[in-house]
Amino acid sequence: MNRNDALAGALVADAAAMGLHWLYDQEQISTVAASGDLLFRQPDSAVYQGKKGYFAHAARRAGQLSHYGESARIVGQLASEDAYQADTHRQRFLEAFGPCGHYVGYADRPTKTLVARMINEGAEISEPSGMDDNQMPAVCVVAGIFSAAQSADTVRTAAQVISTNEEVVASAAAVYQCLEQVLQGKSLADALSASAEAMTDTVGALMRDALAIEGYQPLETASRFGLACYVEHSMPVVWHLLKHATDFESAVRDNIRCGGDSCGRSMALGAIAGLVFGVPDSLVARMADARVPITERFV
């Protein structure tokens, strides 16, 4: 079992989902699947026309990262180089998502808010720098910090660079706890249960509800808990998918089949499934972003 597979898993799962990200119509996704594999689809606005969804990735090409994956890559690169520092995290974030940044594509509200604060406040920016937002972007930090064998406290610090919402920070901590327990030899089922039990908020209760569902019902579970970007939607769906996962690729594909914020869910699902099952070289080979190989795992 290799810590680096958590980061690899998050990045690969994100890129695999990006082409159908934020398509909320499960029936349409099934129709798309009939024309070829759901993984690593080229973003196509025609797929979204007349359907419930938001076409965000016109500037991206198949195999590239979404803004979620780019955020995870930034932290992974930083954590692999040296001890994590929040100010360096923000600087790398600005270099990616700020004016003339190297990431070309959609930016969500937490990303725009952090960039604006950095531009307006500069070196005087206060800690923590994130906004009170209960969506998934801050969970992006977990895979890279875990892969670099850094601490749970570092996860909290890094998450709060992007979001100060306590349910989001707790969700990031739950992903980290699950990864650590799997690495220490716990079964995936036990690690999922223990990490959900450790959460005392509403999101934790929903995660426990998802684990209690009889049988594997990915699409129905996603529809029940919600397909949007909020942690109370994403985390229960991820825990249900992982409870029944048997390999990395099928877990990633089922995440896409669920629809909605598949890239956001990839930050948790891809990291944990990557650590548990390993990331197939055949999927790594489909990554198009030349900056993804940030560790020896990808060389």
Side-chain angles (χ1 to χ4, degrees), residues 10 68 71-72 75 133-145 155 158-160 162-163 165 167-176 179 203 229-231 234-235 238-239 263-269 271-272:
Y68 286 107
S71 185
V75 175
D133 181 90
N134 63 341
Q135 299 178 83
M136 285 293 284
V139 180
C140 299
V141 306
V142 180
I145 289 170
V155 168
Q160 289 182 315
I162 299 169
S163 175
N165 183 276
E167 289 190 332
V168 170
V169 175
S171 295
V175 176
Y176 182 87
L179 288 165
V203 177
C229 312
Y230 305 105
V231 288
S234 295
M235 293 295 289
V238 168
W239 255 234
C263 287
R265 294 192 301 267
S266 292
M267 296 298 98
L269 180 135
I272 296 170

Coordinates of all heavy atoms in Angstrom, one line a residue, residues 10 68 71-72 75 133-145 155 158-160 162-163 165 167-176 179 203 229-231 234-235 238-239 263-269 271-272:
A10 N -7.0 10.7 -6.4 CA -7.8 11.9 -6.4 C -7.6 12.6 -7.8 O -8.6 13.0 -8.4 CB -7.4 12.8 -5.3
Y68 N -10.9 21.5 -9.1 CA -10.7 20.6 -7.9 C -9.4 19.9 -8.0 O -8.6 19.9 -7.0 CB -11.8 19.6 -7.8 CG -13.2 20.0 -7.4 CD1 -14.2 20.1 -8.3 CD2 -13.5 20.4 -6.1 CE1 -15.5 20.5 -7.9 CE2 -14.7 20.7 -5.7 CZ -15.7 20.8 -6.6 OH -17.0 21.1 -6.2
S71 N -6.4 22.2 -7.6 CA -6.2 22.6 -6.2 C -5.5 21.4 -5.4 O -4.6 21.7 -4.6 CB -7.5 22.9 -5.6 OG -7.4 23.4 -4.3
A72 N -5.9 20.2 -5.7 CA -5.3 19.0 -5.0 C -3.8 18.9 -5.5 O -3.0 18.6 -4.7 CB -6.1 17.8 -5.4
V75 N -1.5 21.4 -3.6 CA -1.1 21.0 -2.3 C -0.2 19.7 -2.3 O 0.7 19.6 -1.5 CB -2.4 20.7 -1.4 CG1 -2.0 20.1 -0.1 CG2 -3.2 22.0 -1.3
D133 N -17.9 28.6 3.6 CA -18.5 27.9 2.5 C -18.6 26.4 2.7 O -17.6 25.8 3.0 CB -17.8 28.2 1.2 CG -18.4 27.6 -0.1 OD1 -19.3 28.3 -0.7 OD2 -18.1 26.5 -0.4
N134 N -19.8 25.9 2.5 CA -20.0 24.5 2.9 C -19.9 23.5 1.7 O -20.6 22.5 1.7 CB -21.3 24.3 3.7 CG -22.5 24.6 2.9 OD1 -22.4 25.3 1.9 ND2 -23.7 24.1 3.3
Q135 N -19.1 23.9 0.7 CA -19.0 23.0 -0.5 C -17.6 22.2 -0.4 O -16.9 22.4 0.5 CB -19.1 23.9 -1.7 CG -20.4 24.6 -1.9 CD -20.5 25.5 -3.1 OE1 -20.7 25.0 -4.2 NE2 -20.2 26.8 -2.9
M136 N -17.4 21.4 -1.4 CA -16.3 20.5 -1.4 C -14.9 21.0 -1.7 O -13.9 20.2 -1.4 CB -16.6 19.3 -2.4 CG -17.7 18.4 -1.9 SD -17.2 17.4 -0.5 CE -16.0 16.2 -1.3
P137 N -14.6 22.2 -2.2 CA -13.3 22.5 -2.6 C -12.2 22.3 -1.6 O -11.1 21.9 -1.9 CB -13.4 24.0 -3.0 CG -14.8 24.1 -3.5 CD -15.6 23.2 -2.6
A138 N -12.5 22.6 -0.3 CA -11.4 22.5 0.7 C -11.0 21.0 1.0 O -9.9 20.8 1.5 CB -11.8 23.1 2.0
V139 N -11.8 20.1 0.6 CA -11.5 18.7 0.8 C -10.3 18.3 -0.2 O -9.7 17.3 0.0 CB -12.7 17.8 0.6 CG1 -12.4 16.3 0.8 CG2 -13.8 18.2 1.6
C140 N -10.1 19.1 -1.2 CA -9.0 18.9 -2.1 C -7.6 18.7 -1.4 O -6.7 18.1 -2.0 CB -8.9 20.0 -3.1 SG -10.4 20.3 -4.2
V141 N -7.5 19.3 -0.3 CA -6.2 19.4 0.3 C -5.7 18.0 0.9 O -4.5 17.8 1.2 CB -6.1 20.5 1.4 CG1 -6.6 21.8 0.9 CG2 -6.9 20.1 2.7
V142 N -6.7 17.1 1.2 CA -6.4 16.0 2.0 C -5.4 15.0 1.3 O -4.4 14.5 1.9 CB -7.7 15.2 2.4 CG1 -7.3 14.0 3.2 CG2 -8.6 16.1 3.1
A143 N -5.6 14.7 0.1 CA -4.8 13.6 -0.6 C -3.4 14.0 -0.6 O -2.5 13.1 -0.3 CB -5.4 13.4 -2.0
G144 N -3.0 15.2 -0.9 CA -1.6 15.6 -1.0 C -0.9 15.6 0.3 O 0.2 15.1 0.5
I145 N -1.6 16.0 1.4 CA -1.1 16.1 2.7 C -0.9 14.7 3.3 O 0.2 14.3 3.8 CB -2.0 16.9 3.6 CG1 -1.8 18.4 3.2 CG2 -1.6 16.7 5.1 CD1 -2.8 19.3 3.9
V155 N -3.9 19.1 7.8 CA -5.1 19.0 7.0 C -6.1 20.2 7.4 O -6.6 20.9 6.5 CB -5.8 17.7 7.2 CG1 -7.2 17.7 6.6 CG2 -5.0 16.6 6.5
A158 N -4.7 23.5 6.2 CA -4.8 23.6 4.8 C -6.2 23.8 4.3 O -6.5 24.6 3.4 CB -4.1 22.4 4.1
A159 N -7.1 23.1 4.9 CA -8.5 23.2 4.5 C -9.0 24.7 4.8 O -9.8 25.3 4.0 CB -9.4 22.2 5.3
Q160 N -8.6 25.3 5.9 CA -9.0 26.6 6.3 C -8.4 27.7 5.4 O -8.9 28.9 5.5 CB -8.8 26.9 7.8 CG -9.7 26.0 8.6 CD -9.5 26.3 10.1 OE1 -8.3 26.4 10.6 NE2 -10.6 26.5 10.8
I162 N -8.9 27.6 2.4 CA -10.0 27.7 1.4 C -11.4 27.9 2.0 O -12.2 28.7 1.6 CB -10.0 26.4 0.5 CG1 -8.7 26.3 -0.2 CG2 -11.2 26.4 -0.5 CD1 -8.4 25.0 -0.9
S163 N -11.6 27.2 3.1 CA -13.0 27.2 3.8 C -12.8 27.1 5.3 O -12.1 26.3 5.8 CB -13.9 26.1 3.3 OG -15.1 26.1 4.0
N165 N -15.6 26.7 7.1 CA -16.9 26.1 7.5 C -16.5 24.8 8.3 O -15.8 23.9 7.8 CB -17.7 25.7 6.3 CG -19.0 25.1 6.6 OD1 -19.1 23.9 6.8 ND2 -20.1 25.9 6.7
E167 N -18.2 22.1 9.1 CA -18.6 20.8 8.5 C -17.6 20.4 7.3 O -17.4 19.3 7.1 CB -20.0 20.9 8.0 CG -21.0 21.0 9.1 CD -22.5 20.8 8.6 OE1 -22.8 21.1 7.4 OE2 -23.3 20.3 9.4
V168 N -17.1 21.4 6.6 CA -16.1 21.1 5.6 C -14.8 20.7 6.2 O -14.2 19.7 5.8 CB -15.9 22.4 4.7 CG1 -14.8 22.2 3.8 CG2 -17.2 22.7 3.9
V169 N -14.4 21.4 7.2 CA -13.1 21.0 7.9 C -13.3 19.6 8.5 O -12.3 18.8 8.4 CB -12.7 22.0 8.9 CG1 -11.5 21.6 9.7 CG2 -12.5 23.4 8.3
A170 N -14.4 19.3 9.1 CA -14.7 18.0 9.7 C -14.7 16.9 8.6 O -14.2 15.8 8.8 CB -16.0 18.0 10.4
S171 N -15.2 17.3 7.4 CA -15.3 16.3 6.3 C -13.8 16.0 5.8 O -13.5 14.8 5.5 CB -16.1 16.9 5.1 OG -17.5 17.0 5.5
A172 N -13.0 17.0 5.7 CA -11.6 16.8 5.3 C -10.9 15.9 6.4 O -10.2 15.0 6.0 CB -10.9 18.1 5.2
A173 N -11.2 16.2 7.6 CA -10.6 15.3 8.7 C -11.1 13.9 8.6 O -10.3 12.9 8.9 CB -11.0 15.9 10.1
A174 N -12.3 13.7 8.2 CA -12.9 12.3 8.1 C -12.2 11.6 7.0 O -11.9 10.4 7.1 CB -14.4 12.4 7.9
V175 N -11.9 12.2 5.8 CA -11.2 11.6 4.7 C -9.8 11.2 5.2 O -9.3 10.1 4.9 CB -11.2 12.5 3.5 CG1 -10.4 11.9 2.4 CG2 -12.6 12.8 3.0
Y176 N -9.1 12.1 5.9 CA -7.8 11.9 6.3 C -7.8 10.7 7.3 O -6.9 9.8 7.2 CB -7.2 13.1 7.0 CG -5.8 13.0 7.5 CD1 -4.7 13.2 6.7 CD2 -5.6 12.6 8.8 CE1 -3.4 13.1 7.1 CE2 -4.3 12.4 9.3 CZ -3.2 12.7 8.4 OH -1.9 12.5 8.9
L179 N -8.2 7.4 5.5 CA -7.0 7.0 4.9 C -5.9 6.5 5.8 O -5.3 5.4 5.6 CB -6.4 8.2 4.1 CG -7.1 8.7 2.9 CD1 -6.7 10.1 2.5 CD2 -6.9 7.7 1.7
V203 N -23.4 16.3 8.9 CA -22.8 15.5 7.8 C -22.4 14.1 8.2 O -22.7 13.1 7.5 CB -21.6 16.2 7.2 CG1 -20.9 15.4 6.1 CG2 -22.0 17.6 6.7
C229 N -22.7 20.3 -4.8 CA -21.3 20.4 -4.3 C -21.2 20.5 -2.8 O -20.0 20.5 -2.3 CB -20.7 21.7 -4.8 SG -20.9 22.0 -6.6
Y230 N -22.3 20.5 -2.1 CA -22.2 20.7 -0.6 C -21.7 19.4 0.1 O -22.1 18.3 -0.4 CB -23.6 21.1 -0.1 CG -24.1 22.3 -0.8 CD1 -25.1 22.2 -1.7 CD2 -23.5 23.6 -0.5 CE1 -25.5 23.4 -2.4 CE2 -23.9 24.7 -1.2 CZ -25.0 24.6 -2.1 OH -25.4 25.7 -2.8
V231 N -21.0 19.5 1.2 CA -20.5 18.3 1.8 C -21.6 17.4 2.3 O -21.4 16.2 2.4 CB -19.5 18.7 3.0 CG1 -18.2 19.2 2.4 CG2 -20.2 19.7 4.0
S234 N -22.3 15.4 -0.9 CA -21.2 14.6 -1.4 C -20.7 13.5 -0.5 O -20.4 12.3 -0.9 CB -20.0 15.5 -1.8 OG -20.4 16.4 -2.8
M235 N -20.4 13.8 0.8 CA -19.8 12.9 1.7 C -20.6 11.6 1.9 O -20.1 10.5 1.8 CB -19.5 13.5 3.0 CG -18.4 14.6 2.9 SD -16.8 14.0 2.4 CE -16.3 13.1 3.9
V238 N -20.2 9.4 -1.3 CA -18.9 8.8 -1.4 C -18.8 7.7 -0.4 O -18.3 6.6 -0.8 CB -17.8 9.9 -1.1 CG1 -16.5 9.2 -0.9 CG2 -17.7 10.9 -2.2
W239 N -19.3 7.8 0.8 CA -19.2 6.7 1.7 C -20.0 5.5 1.3 O -19.5 4.3 1.5 CB -19.6 7.2 3.1 CG -18.4 7.4 4.1 CD1 -18.3 6.9 5.3 CD2 -17.2 8.2 3.9 NE1 -17.1 7.3 5.9 CE2 -16.4 8.1 5.0 CE3 -16.8 9.0 2.8 CZ2 -15.2 8.7 5.1 CZ3 -15.6 9.6 2.9 CH2 -14.8 9.5 4.1
C263 N -16.6 15.6 -9.8 CA -15.2 16.0 -9.6 C -15.0 16.3 -8.1 O -14.0 16.0 -7.5 CB -14.8 17.2 -10.4 SG -14.6 16.8 -12.2
G264 N -16.0 17.0 -7.5 CA -15.8 17.3 -6.0 C -15.8 16.0 -5.2 O -14.9 15.8 -4.3
R265 N -16.7 15.0 -5.5 CA -16.6 13.8 -4.8 C -15.4 13.0 -5.1 O -14.9 12.2 -4.2 CB -17.9 12.9 -5.2 CG -19.2 13.5 -4.8 CD -20.3 12.5 -5.0 NE -20.5 12.0 -6.4 CZ -21.3 12.6 -7.3 NH1 -22.0 13.6 -7.0 NH2 -21.3 12.1 -8.5
S266 N -14.7 13.2 -6.2 CA -13.5 12.5 -6.6 C -12.4 12.8 -5.6 O -11.5 12.0 -5.4 CB -13.0 12.9 -8.0 OG -13.9 12.4 -9.0
M267 N -12.4 14.0 -4.9 CA -11.4 14.3 -4.0 C -11.3 13.4 -2.8 O -10.2 13.1 -2.3 CB -11.6 15.8 -3.5 CG -11.4 16.8 -4.6 SD -9.8 16.9 -5.4 CE -10.1 15.9 -6.9
A268 N -12.5 12.9 -2.4 CA -12.5 11.9 -1.3 C -12.5 10.5 -1.9 O -11.7 9.6 -1.4 CB -13.8 12.1 -0.5
L269 N -13.4 10.2 -2.8 CA -13.5 8.9 -3.3 C -12.2 8.4 -4.0 O -11.7 7.3 -3.8 CB -14.7 8.8 -4.3 CG -14.9 7.4 -5.0 CD1 -16.4 7.0 -4.9 CD2 -14.4 7.4 -6.4
A271 N -9.1 9.4 -3.6 CA -8.0 9.3 -2.7 C -8.1 8.0 -1.9 O -7.2 7.2 -1.8 CB -8.0 10.5 -1.7
I272 N -9.3 7.7 -1.4 CA -9.5 6.5 -0.6 C -9.4 5.2 -1.5 O -8.7 4.2 -1.1 CB -10.8 6.5 0.2 CG1 -10.7 7.7 1.2 CG2 -11.0 5.2 1.0 CD1 -12.0 8.0 1.9

